[in-house]
Amino acid sequence: MTLLTPLIEQRADPFIYKHSDGYYYFTASVPAYDGIELRRAKTIAGLKDAETVMVWHKPDTGPYSDLIWAPEIHFNQGAWYVYFAAAPSREIKDALFQHRMYVIRCEDANPLTGTWEFLGQLDTGIDTFCLDATTFSHQGQLYYLWAQKANDIPGNSNLYIAKMDKPWAIASEPVLLTVPEFEWECRGFMVNEGPAVLNRNGKFFITYSASATDENYAMGLLWADENSNLLDPASWTKSQTPVLGSAIEHNIFGPGHNSFTVSEDGQTDLLVYHARTYTEIEGDPLWDPNRHTFVKPLRWDENGMPVFGSAAIAD
């Protein structure tokens, strides 16, 4: 048994992308929530001490001037894009922050040294709290997947999917995929957020995170046949139990908001997630900076389903 230690400390909502240039690109929410930070390295381990570059910093005022959350870097249709959420302030309205989703683009080869352009808000047609966007492509079609509040559904956020006609705009109506419904999705807050996508073994898998961001945070799973209509909710099956939760015996708490990448040799899928190493949090967990980035191998069973194992154990 090999116990895990953090790859990168104080980086929540971690996202690692391996590009065709051989580099791993890393971004995450930084403790100050004040901008988009990138780093890159030729190895996963190298990300730990890689130079960090703040490629975009929030303005002092305006609709996207605070609480920069959960950036993801994607290379879509020949350019770099970072999708992130931001709010106009830290004010709570109707029991929620006021986040909306935004996009920046870099058309240079190296996104750490290139020029980034702010493209504006990615409007889903629903003017409510939203965050945690990711994108993926299948059969030539780009898809957008995110978390958003629905005024007619209890809770903080549900997961939605839509087609994109360009990397900064959706081209179809949002389709509701999942709402917080099980007890483990509703601890502290009713939340489905932080989706991540993996296409393996003839299936699409969507992991997501649920409940409050303390030790109750846990990961769920949806899956669909890769040849099904991914915009049809009936194509998706939802696990009734979490696939990753706190490993209390090893002091790993609230694992979640994951992403996926691959090992240096391309043979092993890797699960990237954040977790805490203690539960004694003063005040709101959002202001505690000690959500750390962890990376561990993802295993597969004989039916082609992912095996997540323990959030504390690498084996």
Side-chain angles (χ1 to χ4, degrees):
M1 181 177 70
T2 304
L3 292 178
L4 290 163
T5 58
L7 173 68
I8 302 172
E9 295 188 349
Q10 295 193 342
R11 290 297 181 272
D13 315 319
F15 188 85
I16 298 178
Y17 165 65
K18 188 178 185 183
H19 191 46
S20 57
D21 61 4
Y23 280 96
Y24 289 95
Y25 290 84
F26 175 86
T27 190
S29 297
V30 298
Y33 301 136
D34 59 349
I36 308 299
E37 179 191 270
L38 298 180
R39 66 180 77 182
R40 73 174 188 170
K42 287 287 187 145
T43 65
I44 293 287
L47 290 170
K48 183 179 182 70
D49 298 314
E51 176 190 8
T52 61
V53 179
M54 187 72 81
V55 299
W56 182 86
H57 197 275
K58 70 177 185 63
D60 292 333
T61 59
Y64 46 92
S65 60
D66 208 349
L67 298 179
I68 311 303
W69 285 359
E72 290 196 5
I73 183 167
H74 294 262
F75 192 79
N76 289 332
Q77 300 177 5
W80 296 99
Y81 294 86
V82 171
Y83 302 89
F84 64 96
S89 69
R90 301 192 175 190
E91 181 182 1
I92 302 291
K93 293 183 180 180
D94 301 320
L96 289 169
F97 288 107
Q98 298 302 299
H99 284 77
R100 299 298 187 268
M101 298 177 293
Y102 298 91
V103 191
I104 59 175
R105 176 178 64 191
C106 175
E107 297 181 295
D108 299 304
N110 183 350
L112 277 72
T113 59
T115 300
W116 284 88
E117 173 189 8
F118 181 77
L119 297 182
Q121 182 180 347
L122 202 153
D123 185 6
T124 67
I126 309 171
D127 187 23
T128 58
F129 171 78
C130 53
L131 71 172
D132 294 353
T134 193
T135 65
F136 68 97
S137 294
H138 182 50
Q139 296 176 348
Q141 176 64 55
L142 187 62
Y143 291 87
Y144 193 66
L145 178 64
W146 74 98
Q148 186 153 15
K149 166 67 179 175
N151 288 325
D152 59 342
I153 298 175
N156 287 41
S157 59
N158 318 298
L159 295 190
Y160 294 85
I161 191 172
K163 289 182 178 180
M164 305 185 84
D165 58 359
K166 50 192 174 185
W168 60 93
I170 65 171
S172 65
E173 290 296 317
V175 173
L176 176 64
L177 288 186
T178 174
V179 303
E181 56 187 308
F182 301 122
E183 184 275 336
W184 59 270
E185 297 177 295
C186 303
R187 296 176 182 171
F189 295 103
M190 300 172 68
V191 171
N192 282 178
E193 66 181 15
V197 181
L198 190 60
N199 182 200
R200 293 287 184 273
N201 305 324
K203 297 182 180 71
F204 269 96
F205 299 95
I206 296 175
T207 50
Y208 65 94
S209 297
S211 290
T213 60
D214 54 18
E215 67 270 21
N216 290 303
Y217 212 47
M219 281 170 45
L221 183 68
L222 306 171
W223 64 93
D225 186 283
E226 66 179 2
N227 294 315
S228 65
N229 178 5
L230 301 181
L231 295 181
D232 182 357
S235 298
W236 296 91
T237 300
K238 181 177 180 178
S239 173
Q240 296 187 22
T241 56
V243 295
L244 194 69
S246 291
I248 297 170
E249 67 279 15
H250 297 298
N251 294 319
I252 300 294
F253 302 101
H257 203 115
N258 79 290
S259 58
F260 297 103
T261 190
V262 294
S263 59
E264 287 81 358
D265 63 6
Q267 299 302 304
T268 304
D269 291 306
L270 300 176
L271 177 68
V272 184
Y273 57 98
H274 74 231
R276 303 180 192 273
T277 56
Y278 58 84
T279 60
E280 298 76 20
I281 300 168
E282 295 184 8
D284 191 316
L286 283 174
W287 314 127
D288 183 295
N290 292 306
R291 289 182 290 175
H292 307 315
T293 296
F294 290 80
V295 179
K296 62 169 286 180
L298 183 68
R299 307 303 183 187
W300 299 90
D301 68 16
E302 63 276 9
N303 298 315
M305 295 294 289
V307 178
F308 292 83
S310 167
I313 299 172
D315 305 318

